[in-house]
Amino acid sequence: MKLCYTLILIFTEILIALTIFRVFYVKNGNLALSQKILDLLIVGFFTIFPNIFIAHLTSEFMATIFFSWYFCFIDILLFLLFYFSVEYAFPDASASRRWYKAFYIFFRYDVPALFQGKKQRTTLFEKSMLVLFLLIVADIAQFVLNISSHAVFSVESFYSEGVVFAPNIYYRIVSYFPYDVHLSLSYALVLLTLICLVKKTILSPALYRIKYLASLILILIVVIVNSFYVLFELPLDFSVILYGLVCVSIYYFSFNYIPKYLQRKSIGCVIENMDNGILIFDIDDRCIFINDCIRKLCEVRADQDPEIAMRSFVNKFVNGQSFSTRAPYEVIRCLKIKERTVYYRVIFSRIEDEYEKFLGSYFLLMDISEERNRERQEHFRSSHDQLTGLYNKEYFCNKVAEALEANPDKEYCIVCSDIGNFKLINEIYGVAIGDKILKLIALNLREKAVPGELYGRIDNDRFAMLVPKERLDVQALIDITDSIFKYSLDLTMMTVCYFGVYEIKDIDVRVSFMCDRAFIALNTIKGQIGKQVAWYDATLRDDVLREQELIYQLSDAIAAGQIKIYLQSRALADGTPVGAEALVRWDHPDEGLISPNGFVPLFEKNGMIIKIDCCVWRLVFKKLAEWKNAGREDLYICVNVSYKDFYLMDIQQELGSLLNEFKINPKNFHIKITEFTMMMDLDKQIKSIKQLRELGFIIEVGDFGTNYSSLKILRECDIEILKLDISFLIDTKFSRNAHIIMKQLVEMAHSLGTKIVVKGIEQKEQVDLLSTYGCDLFQGYYFSKPIEASMFEKVYL
């Protein structure tokens, strides 16, 4: 029996030594805990070691030495077990440092800091452990002294007969009071350890209780066995063996089994409850696991065999092919589930061991329906107009280019549309009505669309269409838009839609250029009554090229003096000249003399009119300065001001600067502003007129009476001259009404201190008639055509 007992102890020591070796050389993520288990194993080794000899001793003295050795290391073992349990159960508590490091810090830093009033580095727990350790040191000291004093215990030989596993002769201790103190300290440490583990076991979730329950049960077994040894004075203390096995078991459960068990359970919970579906198959392609997501997806009951329930479902992805022969892949599949379309990303992968041997396989199904819907929505937002749902400009151009490339032999036309007075509709009726018009047009285009036709909203109220030439029916488009304006909306304003058509001859031309050409054609008829369709052709192309050439040449023309002023006289009824109106001409080196209609509208449209106007003003100021030097300050010159001059430059500063430069009388420089110009922003223009009058300039209003703002202009501004057109009397069926209005208008103007100029006079009878009405000044071919300034001077100066 002695040999059997000894072999068990030696085996236990070897097991502890191997465990120490593993802990020492295998890195562990929980460094603080692994260090404490290493301390525990080393002390456990030396706790068991003396018992190997106790069973074979024949000397009471040696028995006393080895028993003392055993009791000393039991104290240290229980102390370290408690220290380990605190770190194991409450890693964030205060046991992160090894105990001897904590004691070193306390004596090295905290004791001096106590007298200096500085912050302590060790925690209250570590200070409490220091007190326990000092008690243990005292207990160890009494066991060391007991070798000679026998004050704690003594040993006596004992003969056992018929006791299983017991040697025939062994030594046992005869305890005294100090030994009872030792037992009390030992059981107190055990009790603290149990309390720590019990508390953590109660507080932990059910899944994690095994982590602490395993250590708790092992320690309780040791306590029970040791209690039997103490209470019943058994011949052998089997708890000695258990101490070592407990240390090894705690290491195994703490760092191997329980972490892996919890890992498996956690992974299982994650897989079971994950939003993605997973199916796992064994080496024979049998389905051995499906999670809740798959059960809900395929309506599999808990009592159904997943192999039977899922076979037809899986065949959708593998077509009966063996999993072991398939390589990993990923596909996106659309599944019909309960009349609902669901998109899944299906991932198939093999399960292999470290030697790449096939162990099984699995499918992962990820629901990407929201992702696909979001992608479709983002694609729609990036490619479609949000208001109408038609293609936006960029996507329309791309789709047209694709259609032309796919059908190079087919004839197509680009048709672009623009709503007349759309900005005015928004201002009068509101943006909601404007949006309704755009949506109705888009709705009708979609309803009439057939394969091969493409529609898009290019910008604001502009639409574009790609239509096969044989299907092009512009009149149908006109009818659609006219019906919308007439019947779908309650608009009192007359509104029409204009169309420009570009026939595609070269598919290599950029689609945006094709649309531009269709809009160029459209712009030639926009605003014209009775015309709603225009085709882009060679003549129109030449006109566009000519306009581009004029734009390019303008700066050089101004620098070269090609921009000239022609003067048309203004006279009294008897023909006496009082001034002239400056009219611009372009003396082009290639095209000859270009009238204002040949270039002014172009430059008004692109804003370059300010360059021409500034050039004309300077020429007029220069001419007035020459007349002043010639003693003819009695004559004035009237110049035109474009409405864009007020927006694109500081007109007051420009004219004021010229006035300071040429030193003329500002009353000789008349500024003519058309009533249309005033209409653009009446309040702003009234303010500008007042500022110009403060500089001394004479203000004329041309085309008076053609718009709604006439009376407000007269009310708010001191206008010196109103300019009327003789056509007011001629171009009407109601000549009596026109003559009455003319008489009253002249009388009203004279009451306001305003003179009347009538242009377009071609006959003496017109002069005589208007003179009887009280008109002051006259301008027209009857007196003089616009002539060069030098010729004007020869005739009138």
Side-chain angles (χ1 to χ4, degrees), residues 466-485:
L466 176 71
V467 184
K469 186 177 179 180
E470 72 272 9
R471 284 190 46 82
L472 179 60
D473 186 354
V474 182
Q475 186 58 48
L477 296 174
I478 294 174
D479 294 341
I480 289 173
T481 53
D482 286 351
S483 65
I484 291 173
F485 296 132

Side-chain angles (χ1 to χ4, degrees), residues 191-314:
L191 181 61
L192 290 173
T193 302
L194 294 175
I195 290 173
C196 177
L197 294 174
V198 169
K199 179 181 179 181
K200 188 63 177 181
T201 302
I202 295 172
L203 296 177
S204 298
L207 177 62
Y208 278 82
R209 284 175 186 168
I210 187 173
K211 178 178 178 180
Y212 309 103
L213 197 59
S215 299
L216 182 62
I217 292 172
L218 290 173
I219 294 172
L220 282 174
I221 292 172
V222 175
V223 171
I224 292 171
V225 173
N226 184 262
S227 299
F228 272 92
Y229 168 73
V230 172
L231 294 175
F232 298 103
E233 297 184 350
L234 296 177
L236 289 177
D237 185 3
F238 286 100
S239 65
V240 173
I241 301 172
L242 294 177
Y243 279 127
L245 294 178
V246 164
C247 291
V248 174
S249 299
I250 287 177
Y251 169 76
Y252 173 73
F253 280 105
S254 301
F255 292 98
N256 287 278
Y257 176 76
I258 292 178
K260 292 179 180 179
Y261 169 79
L262 293 176
Q263 184 182 38
R264 290 193 300 272
K265 292 291 289 183
S266 298
I267 292 173
C269 290
V270 170
I271 293 175
E272 186 66 41
N273 299 302
M274 66 192 305
D275 293 333
N276 300 322
I278 189 166
L279 303 88
I280 301 177
F281 297 82
D282 63 13
I283 194 172
D284 297 320
D285 295 347
R286 290 181 53 84
C287 183
I288 58 175
F289 174 81
I290 57 174
N291 65 352
D292 280 348
C293 178
I294 293 294
R295 292 184 183 278
K296 294 176 182 177
L297 178 65
C298 299
E299 298 182 339
V300 179
R301 299 191 309 273
D303 59 343
Q304 280 186 282
D305 184 356
E307 164 62 21
I308 298 173
M310 300 308 301
R311 178 51 55 188
S312 61
F313 180 80
V314 174

Side-chain angles (χ1 to χ4, degrees), residues 269-536:
C269 290
V270 170
I271 293 175
E272 186 66 41
N273 299 302
M274 66 192 305
D275 293 333
N276 300 322
I278 189 166
L279 303 88
I280 301 177
F281 297 82
D282 63 13
I283 194 172
D284 297 320
D285 295 347
R286 290 181 53 84
C287 183
I288 58 175
F289 174 81
I290 57 174
N291 65 352
D292 280 348
C293 178
I294 293 294
R295 292 184 183 278
K296 294 176 182 177
L297 178 65
C298 299
E299 298 182 339
V300 179
R301 299 191 309 273
D303 59 343
Q304 280 186 282
D305 184 356
E307 164 62 21
I308 298 173
M310 300 308 301
R311 178 51 55 188
S312 61
F313 180 80
V314 174
N315 281 336
K316 297 177 182 178
F317 307 111
V318 297
N319 298 321
Q321 187 178 357
S322 174
F323 297 165
S324 60
T325 61
R326 293 186 64 89
Y329 69 91
E330 178 178 330
V331 295
I332 293 177
R333 292 292 176 87
C334 175
L335 304 176
K336 289 285 187 179
I337 301 172
K338 296 181 179 179
E339 300 181 354
R340 185 170 67 95
T341 301
V342 182
Y343 289 91
Y344 278 94
R345 177 177 286 111
V346 182
I347 300 174
F348 170 78
S349 187
R350 297 160 58 89
I351 304 174
E352 298 176 344
D353 61 13
E354 62 270 23
Y355 304 107
E356 298 184 356
K357 295 294 185 180
F358 180 74
L359 300 178
S361 56
Y362 68 88
F363 282 91
L364 180 64
L365 276 67
M366 304 171 65
D367 187 348
I368 58 171
S369 299
E370 290 187 8
E371 179 183 337
R372 289 294 291 265
N373 291 334
R374 186 166 55 251
E375 288 176 354
R376 284 199 298 270
Q377 292 172 1
E378 290 176 355
H379 180 264
F380 184 86
R381 283 193 294 269
S382 66
S383 60
H384 289 70
D385 173 60
Q386 298 303 301
L387 177 65
T388 63
L390 299 181
Y391 292 151
N392 59 25
K393 180 179 180 180
E394 182 180 358
Y395 198 67
F396 172 78
C397 291
N398 291 338
K399 296 297 287 184
V400 169
E402 292 175 5
L404 296 178
E405 185 177 353
N407 304 279
D409 299 328
K410 195 169 185 179
E411 295 182 330
Y412 286 96
C413 290
I414 290 284
V415 182
C416 292
S417 67
D418 193 348
I419 301 171
N421 298 322
F422 187 73
K423 290 183 180 179
L424 202 56
I425 291 174
N426 280 335
E427 290 179 4
I428 296 175
Y429 298 100
V431 176
I433 294 297
D435 289 347
K436 185 177 181 181
I437 292 173
L438 298 177
K439 288 190 282 189
L440 284 172
I441 292 175
L443 178 63
N444 280 273
L445 290 177
R446 280 199 299 266
E447 289 178 350
K448 303 294 182 182
V450 298
E453 296 181 356
L454 298 172
Y455 299 89
R457 183 186 178 195
I458 301 303
D459 177 39
N460 200 20
D461 61 325
R462 294 183 161 195
F463 294 86
M465 295 150 266
L466 176 71
V467 184
K469 186 177 179 180
E470 72 272 9
R471 284 190 46 82
L472 179 60
D473 186 354
V474 182
Q475 186 58 48
L477 296 174
I478 294 174
D479 294 341
I480 289 173
T481 53
D482 286 351
S483 65
I484 291 173
F485 296 132
K486 290 180 182 178
Y487 305 114
S488 300
L489 299 164
D490 186 18
L491 301 180
T492 57
M493 177 185 295
M494 177 181 171
T495 306
V496 295
C497 194
Y498 300 96
F499 296 90
V501 183
Y502 172 74
E503 185 177 351
I504 300 173
K505 300 293 186 181
D506 183 0
I507 65 173
D508 293 328
V509 175
R510 290 177 60 179
V511 177
S512 59
F513 290 167
M514 299 179 186
C515 295
D516 290 342
R517 291 171 181 177
F519 280 118
I520 288 172
L522 183 152
N523 288 332
T524 62
I525 61 167
K526 192 172 182 182
Q528 297 184 28
I529 298 175
K531 290 185 178 181
Q532 288 184 251
V533 182
W535 289 71
Y536 183 89

Side-chain angles (χ1 to χ4, degrees), residues 120-135:
Q120 299 287 298
R121 296 192 181 185
T122 55
T123 63
L124 179 62
F125 170 79
E126 290 171 333
K127 291 182 178 67
S128 301
M129 292 302 294
L130 175 61
V131 174
L132 282 175
F133 182 72
L134 293 176
L135 292 175

